[in-house]
Structures are given as C-alpha cells and as structure tokens.
Amino acid sequence: TYGGQVADATCFAEVIPMIRRRLGELGRDLESLTIVYDKGNVSRANQKLVDQAPLHYVTAIPNTSQPKLLAEANAALSLVDLGDGQSVSAYRARKRIWAVERTVVVLVSERLRDGQMRGILQHVASARRWLDDLANTLGRGKQKRNRARIERDIELRLKGRQHRSRVLHFQLTGDDPNLALTYQFDQAAFDDLAQNILGRIVLMTDRHHWSTAEIIQAYRNQADIEAVFAHLKDPIHLAL
C-alpha cells in the first residue's frame, strides 16, 4: 500500500525495486511474469529501472512522444482479431526507444476516440462562450487592453489541452481602441484530428514473441485490477 497523494511516476520508481526483491524472495520465475502499467508511470528513468530489473513489461507511452510512429501507423493499420468476436485496428513494428529495441503496437480505441471528441467539443463550447463575451465587450467599446494584449490573452485561452487552438481560429480587426473579434470552428481540422490523432494508444513491450492480440489483451487486463480497486473503495463491500 502507498499514500494516494503520491504521484504515480514517483511511486512507481520506489515500488519497482521492492517488487523485484519480493518476487525473488518468493522464488518466482521472472521470465514467466510480465508487469503491466500505463503511461502515467512512464519516464525514461522509470523504464530504465524496469529494463535493469530485469522484468518483462507491457506499457503505454505518451502519443506526443512518437509523432513519426503515429504517422507511420496511420498509413498501415490493419484489423487484429482479439477473440470473442472483437477486433481492433492496430499497427505493429520494432523500434529503438530510449536506447533499447522494443516491440510497439499502435491501436485505435473507438471508445477513447468518442470520449476525446466529446471532450474537445465541450472545451470548444466553453471557449466560444468566452470569445462571445469578449466580442461583445469590444463591440461596446468597453475594452481597455490594447490589441497585443488581447491577442495574447486569446492565444493563452486557446492554448494547451483539447486541441482548442487547432480547431478554433480568430481574427481581430480594426485599430485600438476600436477593435472587433470574429472566430470560426475549423471542421476540417476537427475531422483530421478524429481520423488521424484521436483514439490512438501506443503500447511498448519486450515480449517480442507475443502476438499483437496478446500484447493488447495484456494491457487491457489492467481493468481487472481497477475493478479490485473499486471494491476496496466500496464501504459496504469492506463492511461485509
């Protein structure tokens, strides 16, 4: 057990040596075991700990760290049969990441993509309300900031998460202090995100002999552990 306020990556670095030692004490065959973790635990230093343990692993890594791999995968996705009538679009390759050759799998999760699309549209709606208020303020001549300051404030508002600056474009016209603001939602940019960026999960493993389906299923099996966490947090379950 560990304090819930500890960042995942920090806790991971502390726990991995303990897990390695405990498995040794139990006489477990490390070759037969695979540790599975998500990208919240991943860093170059943490992965080095796993590589040196040595422990076999399946993990996700941040999409932003692999733009070339994503572009390569988008052009070569194929259906992978997961069994039980399930299939998923995926791409598999061998890549050298952090000085070690690893098997990587890029898969498309429709559930994740749908959630990300909803999230983007919610953030866009919030940004549009803010832009409408600013446009009205400018129209009434009540704005005391100059053009440069207003442009910087808008860019900061659209910057960051949820691709807002990619799908919302604005124009500030006129001269100080008589400025007017207009903006547009870029449907083509949103469609490109949905088609080529959203819903992607990048997996990395040293289980080179496993099938693509086995790698994906191993990562998805984290849900079984998360279900145990849900039970542990259920006061009625614990009371019984």
Side-chain angles (χ1 to χ4, degrees), residues 4 28 34 52 64 87 99 120 125 138 141 143 156 158 176 228 240:
R28 297 302 303 270
T34 304
Q52 292 176 343
T64 52
S87 61
I120 289 173
L138 291 174
Q143 183 56 247
L156 287 173
L158 300 182
D176 291 330
V228 173
L240 292 174

Side-chain angles (χ1 to χ4, degrees), residues 61-146:
I61 56 177
N63 293 7
T64 52
S65 70
Q66 304 296 323
K68 291 183 179 179
L69 174 61
L70 286 178
E72 183 180 310
N74 284 336
L77 291 168
S78 60
L79 282 180
V80 175
D81 183 9
L82 301 179
D84 297 328
Q86 298 183 61
S87 61
V88 65
S89 294
Y91 170 76
R92 177 176 180 155
R94 286 275 194 106
K95 297 291 180 182
R96 195 166 183 81
I97 298 176
W98 297 333
V100 176
E101 185 176 81
R102 312 180 194 272
T103 291
V104 293
V105 173
V106 179
L107 66 125
V108 181
S109 167
E110 296 299 337
R111 181 179 179 181
L112 175 61
R113 173 155 54 189
D114 289 345
Q116 289 174 329
M117 289 172 66
R118 288 194 301 272
I120 289 173
L121 293 177
Q122 288 171 358
H123 280 77
V124 164
S126 175
R128 293 178 78 157
R129 288 192 294 271
W130 184 85
L131 290 169
D132 285 339
D133 288 342
L134 177 57
N136 291 333
T137 300
L138 291 174
R140 295 195 304 270
K142 299 295 185 180
Q143 183 56 247
K144 296 181 179 180
R145 292 170 294 177
N146 61 26

Side-chain angles (χ1 to χ4, degrees), residues 176-237:
D176 291 330
N178 301 311
L179 298 171
L181 172 66
T182 57
Y183 65 88
Q184 300 84 34
F185 176 74
D186 191 335
Q187 185 65 49
F190 181 74
D191 292 342
D192 180 66
L193 276 173
Q195 183 65 31
N196 298 307
I197 303 296
L198 303 182
R200 269 54 175 181
I201 299 173
V202 181
L203 303 182
M204 179 173 78
T205 182
D206 67 339
R207 289 294 197 185
H208 306 298
H209 65 284
W210 281 9
S211 69
T212 302
E214 287 174 319
I215 294 169
I216 294 171
Q217 197 59 55
Y219 183 74
R220 286 186 168 184
N221 282 346
Q222 287 181 104
D224 295 339
I225 306 302
E226 290 166 359
V228 173
F229 289 164
H231 284 303
L232 289 173
K233 295 177 180 179
D234 181 348
I236 297 177
H237 176 83

